[in-house]
Structure formats: structure tokens, C-alpha cells
Amino acid sequence: MSLLALDSRWRRLHDPDWVSPKSGRSFGGLIDIGYDHPDPWPHGDLQGSGQEILEIGEDKLSADLCRCDGLRFVRAMLALPIRGSDEAVQFAVWAHLADADFYRYLDDATGETPGFEGCAAWLMNDIPDYESETPLEGALIAGGAQERPRLSLNDGPLAEAQKAGITFDALLDLYAATGNDIRPDL
């Protein structure tokens, strides 16, 4: 049994049969957070466009790949473990790769040249409470078949949160800061 099982908010978050009397919402577990595009992308949301691929001049955005101002990005998962549990909240973020690494990743993903194991990468989305003036450096780690790669940061507060985890209250604050304040429902 996890320590968080003692927290009634944690139990309600994980109980698919529990319905909030305030909003009628139920959750059934952690809510992952996704970013539609890398922060430098200036052309609006892919999801709101109604298209599978959004192309503006030389810039191009799909659900997993992006080219913007000559830079190349891939969608990756960044996990923050929740202290007192064996779970982690997953962020679907964008990572910038050097051109050669991007093409090696793409060749592996399409099956043309398998064997991509990872490369240097830079986080291109600001996570609330972990914002940075410059992109955070890390490593892109290849995922399994049909899985997005993972992003592991090298240093700084967000890298420390990846290693040590965050509290449940910090998670609720992150949800609120990303537009999904569930605190009143728990």
C-alpha cells in the first residue's frame, strides 16, 4: 500500500466510480499533460487546426515531429514520479535534436535504419514552476516499439524532480498551472 493511499484526495483521483459533487467529473488515475507544439512554434495549435499535419511555408508540425525555423523537434515523454507512490505523471513534451540525430531517429522510427539508442536533446516546453530562460539539456532515450522516446534532463530543478519525484500537492499545482485545476473536485 502506498503512503498516498491515506490521502482521501489521492483515493478519489484513482477511483473511477467516484464522481465529484461539484462538477460531476471522475478521473480514474493520473492525468498526463501534453504540449501540442514546441514553444518556438508560432503558427497555432495542431489540434485546433483540424489537420493531421500543419504546414506554414517551410515549417511543419505533426503529432510527433516538427520543423520550425530550420530546427527539428520530436515529441518525447518526460516523467515526474509522485512521492509516496509507484506512479509518475507523464508530460508529452517537445525536444530539439541536432539535424543528424533527428534523421537517425527518423530512420529508426520508420524502420529504414534501426538502432537509434538516443542522443543529446533540449526540452522545448516550459513546465510550470520549472521555466528556464534557455532550453534545458538532456538525453533523448529511445522508446520501445510504438512508444515515444523519453527525455531525461541532465541538471537543474526539473532534473532533480525527475529523480526525486514531486509531492501530490505539487502535482495538483502543476495540473492547475496547465489549465486543469482538479483540486476543487477532489
Side-chain angles (χ1 to χ4, degrees):
M1 168 157 74
S2 78
L3 291 175
L4 281 176
L6 302 173
D7 188 323
S8 60
R9 300 170 304 162
W10 180 261
R11 290 192 310 270
R12 287 190 288 268
L13 177 66
H14 284 79
D15 182 353
D17 297 325
W18 185 83
V19 177
S20 168
K22 289 188 177 198
S23 69
R25 292 174 74 186
S26 66
F27 303 103
L30 295 179
I31 303 163
D32 294 337
I33 298 169
Y35 290 87
D36 182 79
H37 55 272
D39 288 351
W41 176 262
H43 306 296
D45 292 344
L46 175 66
Q47 193 171 18
S49 74
Q51 301 175 36
E52 285 187 35
I53 298 175
L54 187 56
E55 284 189 75
I56 315 291
E58 293 294 313
D59 295 347
K60 190 174 187 177
L61 174 68
S62 72
D64 292 302
L65 302 171
C66 178
R67 179 181 61 222
C68 180
D69 289 331
L71 300 175
R72 287 164 173 68
F73 308 89
V74 299
R75 198 95 178 262
M77 302 307 294
L78 185 147
L80 294 180
I82 309 305
R83 290 184 203 150
S85 80
D86 59 355
E87 296 184 59
V89 64
Q90 299 288 332
F91 287 83
V93 297
W94 289 88
H96 165 60
L97 308 181
D99 288 356
D101 292 328
F102 177 84
Y103 288 113
R104 281 190 315 112
Y105 169 79
L106 196 57
D107 286 346
D108 181 71
T110 59
E112 189 172 317
T113 310
F116 177 81
E117 292 185 14
C119 63
W122 291 263
L123 175 62
M124 299 306 294
N125 296 106
D126 272 336
I127 307 288
D129 294 329
Y130 300 99
E131 293 90 349
S132 174
E133 292 293 319
T134 59
L136 301 174
E137 187 175 353
L140 188 75
I141 302 161
Q146 306 300 317
E147 288 182 347
R148 285 193 173 122
R150 292 172 288 132
L151 182 62
S152 177
L153 298 175
N154 293 344
D155 56 23
L158 189 53
E160 184 58 35
Q162 279 190 295
K163 293 176 189 132
I166 61 172
T167 66
F168 181 47
D169 285 312
L171 172 65
L172 295 176
D173 291 343
L174 275 171
Y175 284 156
T178 56
N180 196 18
D181 191 356
I182 65 172
R183 293 174 290 199
D185 295 316
L186 297 178

